Amino acid sequence: MSELPASDSSLSATSLPLQSLAQVAGTDVVAEHVANSLASAGWCVLEGLGFDPVHLTALQQEVVALHEAGALAPAAIGRGPDQKLAAEIRNDRTAWLDGQSAAQAALFKRFSEIQQFLNRSLYLGLTHFEAHFAAFEPGGFYRAHRDSFQGKASRLVSLVLYLNEHWQPEMGGELRIYDAEGAVAAEVMPVLGRTAVFLSEDVLHEVCPSRHLRYSIACWFRADVSDNLLLLR
């Protein structure tokens, strides 16, 4: 497992040093760090996305409102005709983002910038992205898995943005990342603004059981064709 800073055991040696969002806003610093880390290690963890904290709070309020309104649906595994519910593998609830609110539009703009930078630096041929809110209720988990099958050229890069204020280690719900040998490489505490990015086909990961209501946004950068114009970015 990567050696972790004593001040925060949820961050790995590949993490971007903690800095204010204002320091990275309007620059390629975040995207460059992500590209370099994907090329060298296959994953990284960073604080923020050069993203306005006001919009982060607004996204948090959106997912809380959706959850309280019962508008999040049980998450399935698989895609297309193979999609099915499997509560023994994952038991979170989700809702797709559409980019219509001001906060979602700002987030999509940042995702688009990251997509463009990854294409320029890693030649991935990413064509679009998709993203959803996720809520893990107490006891929620997602067993170890990869986000895409090798050679499908669909989901190539995964990104998870956390929306939880005042999260403490005893609350559980860490993102556990495994290395190529199957050893634990890092455990990421899901605090507000923290972001994990990894190669979808390569990186085995899981959401450890949460003992507290846990919110996040998952985004996948894809290299296939989308028939949804909202995702063509």
Side-chain angles (χ1 to χ4, degrees):
M1 186 171 178
S2 300
E3 183 178 352
L4 306 180
S7 61
D8 190 342
S9 61
S10 69
L11 291 182
S12 75
T14 59
S15 299
L16 187 68
L18 182 62
Q19 55 186 300
S20 73
L21 296 178
Q23 286 179 284
V24 296
T27 74
D28 282 333
V29 171
V30 169
E32 182 177 5
H33 173 73
V34 169
N36 291 341
S37 297
L38 292 181
S40 61
W43 63 275
C44 67
V45 178
L46 59 151
E47 301 295 335
L49 288 170
F51 195 56
D52 188 335
V54 173
H55 288 142
L56 273 179
T57 299
L59 290 168
Q60 181 192 52
Q61 292 170 346
E62 283 188 38
V63 69
V64 169
L66 289 169
H67 184 245
E68 291 179 347
L72 301 180
I77 62 170
R79 296 185 70 82
D82 297 324
Q83 194 172 71
K84 63 180 181 179
L85 297 177
E88 71 280 7
I89 296 175
R90 67 181 299 185
N91 57 2
D92 55 320
R93 304 181 72 86
T94 64
W96 292 102
L97 278 70
D98 58 15
Q100 295 302 300
S101 71
Q104 289 190 33
L107 183 66
F108 277 24
K109 181 176 184 293
R110 193 60 174 151
F111 285 167
S112 181
E113 292 168 352
I114 292 172
Q115 175 183 307
Q116 293 168 25
F117 193 96
L118 292 176
N119 280 339
R120 292 197 305 269
S121 57
L122 300 180
Y123 307 102
L124 293 179
L126 302 172
T127 57
H128 62 286
F129 56 81
E130 59 187 359
H132 68 49
F133 286 120
F136 288 82
E137 297 176 343
F141 61 87
Y142 194 162
R143 302 297 187 202
H145 65 284
R146 293 178 177 85
D147 283 353
S148 184
F149 295 110
Q150 286 283 348
K152 291 292 187 181
S154 52
R155 292 175 173 177
L156 294 187
V157 177
S158 302
L159 180 152
V160 186
L161 170 64
Y162 296 107
L163 300 174
N164 308 290
E165 287 187 292
H166 313 304
W167 197 269
Q168 299 299 318
E170 60 270 19
M171 295 177 177
E174 303 90 349
L175 174 69
R176 181 174 292 159
I177 297 173
Y178 295 89
D179 65 19
E181 286 71 45
V184 176
E187 290 188 339
V188 183
M189 197 163 70
V191 301
L192 181 66
R194 185 166 294 164
T195 307
V197 188
F198 49 91
L199 295 176
S200 305
E201 294 183 343
D202 297 338
V203 176
L204 185 69
H205 60 285
E206 68 176 308
V207 177
C208 298
S210 182
R211 293 182 285 277
H212 194 274
L213 188 55
R214 174 191 187 276
Y215 295 116
S216 61
I217 291 172
C219 174
W220 297 275
F221 297 92
R222 303 177 62 103
D224 53 358
V225 177
S226 173
D227 57 5
N228 185 343
L229 294 179
L230 285 172
L231 302 179
L232 293 174
R233 299 178 183 274

